[in-house]
């Protein structure tokens, strides 16, 4: 199995004009919210990071195809989640097909998996996956696994490799700060398949 893999493919609609994010080594980066529809009809609005010069296909309402990687960084502002996820766009082109949201990750478990149950009794396992990249850096990516796969992943140990295929999704939740409820958005990878388990014999 590959020790490191980080591939994201998104096809969706630009939800708002690009906004300046930051500058690194004299290169400007912009954040673009991309709206991707699920099969259920629910919409995920996902942050995509694009480097300058911006491609001409980034007009609000335009449909685009993004290939890139999932990245994480620590939010030091004190507001919102401490771990911030975004899709770094290696390429972006116009698109006129169906929505696509596909993530392939191979990394290492960096925390013990946490197995729990939803109010409806369905098994769910929370995983933090460390996926290496260049210059000895790593992205720390929250992953959720459902059902029988959750039971399987919950038995794995810290330091073991894990390969998954799923989608990048957004989830709105409420957090109470100083007695005041605040609506916030969390981002995570929801797993459909494990890519490192042997296929069952017929």
């Amino acid at each position: 199995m590959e020790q490191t893999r980080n591939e994201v493919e998104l096809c969706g609609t630009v939800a708002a004009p690009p906004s300046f994010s930051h500058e690194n080594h004299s290169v400007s980066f912009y954040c673009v919210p991309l709206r991707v529809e699920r099969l259920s009809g629910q919409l995920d609005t996902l942050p995509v990071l694009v480097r300058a010069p911006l491609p001409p296909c980034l007009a609000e309402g335009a449909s685009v195809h993004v290939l890139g990687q999932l990245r994480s960084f620590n939010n030091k502002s004190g507001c919102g989640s401490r771990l911030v996820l975004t899709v770094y766009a290696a390429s972006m082109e116009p698109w006129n097909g169906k929505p696509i949201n596909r993530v392939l990750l191979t990394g290492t478990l960096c925390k013990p998996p946490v197995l729990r149950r939803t109010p409806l009794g369905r098994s769910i396992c929370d995983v933090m996956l460390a996926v290496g990249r260049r210059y000895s850096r790593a992205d720390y990516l929250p992953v959720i696994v459902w059902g029988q796969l959750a039971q399987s992943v919950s038995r794995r140990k810290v330091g073991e490799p894990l390969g998954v295929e799923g989608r990048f999704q957004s989830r709105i939740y409420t957090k109470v700060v100083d007695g005041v409820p605040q609506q916030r958005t969390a981002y995570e990878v929801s797993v459909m398949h494990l890519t490192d388990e042997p296929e069952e014999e017929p």
Side-chain angles (χ1 to χ4, degrees):
M1 185 182 72
E2 292 181 70
Q3 290 303 305
T4 296
R5 188 178 192 182
N6 188 338
E7 300 173 15
V8 179
E9 181 181 17
L10 297 176
C11 297
T13 304
V14 178
S19 58
F20 178 77
S21 172
H22 66 280
E23 187 174 288
N24 187 20
H25 297 293
S26 300
V27 178
S28 295
F29 292 85
Y30 293 80
C31 189
V32 179
L34 191 68
R35 190 174 290 126
V36 184
E37 185 178 0
R38 300 186 194 177
L39 291 175
S40 65
Q42 183 177 341
L43 294 173
D44 290 300
T45 301
L46 307 172
V48 178
L49 197 65
V50 186
R51 62 181 295 163
L54 297 177
C57 62
L58 270 182
E60 184 175 357
S63 294
V64 295
H65 178 217
V66 176
L67 293 176
Q69 295 184 328
L70 201 53
R71 299 284 174 84
S72 69
F73 63 92
N74 287 317
N75 178 10
K76 300 179 181 178
S77 69
C79 299
S81 174
R82 287 182 296 175
L83 188 68
V84 179
L85 300 190
T86 187
V87 174
Y88 171 70
S91 68
M92 180 176 286
E93 298 176 342
W95 178 256
N96 59 4
K98 295 180 180 180
I100 296 175
N101 186 338
R102 185 168 182 252
V103 178
L104 288 164
L105 299 174
T106 301
T108 304
L109 292 176
C110 58
K111 291 183 178 180
V114 177
L115 182 66
R116 54 190 173 89
R117 289 190 179 275
T118 68
L120 296 177
R122 191 179 180 193
S123 296
I124 181 173
C125 187
D126 298 295
V127 172
M128 185 65 73
L129 195 63
V131 181
R133 54 176 154 124
R134 292 187 300 173
Y135 309 117
S136 300
R137 299 183 64 184
D139 293 292
Y140 296 91
L141 308 174
V143 172
I144 57 172
V145 190
W146 298 88
Q148 291 184 339
L149 292 181
Q151 299 282 346
S152 172
V153 171
S154 70
R155 294 190 288 270
R156 303 209 183 189
K157 307 297 183 184
V158 172
E160 288 188 22
L162 179 67
V164 301
E165 178 180 353
R167 69 168 178 258
F168 184 38
Q169 65 183 26
S170 58
R171 174 173 52 85
I172 296 175
Y173 68 99
T174 300
K175 182 173 183 178
V176 178
V177 180
D178 296 329
V180 179
Q182 297 181 0
Q183 196 173 76
R184 296 184 175 180
T185 303
Y187 299 97
E188 60 207 0
V189 175
S190 180
V191 172
M192 282 78 166
H193 308 285
L194 301 183
T195 59
D196 60 353
E197 286 200 337
E199 299 200 2
E200 296 182 3
E201 295 183 4

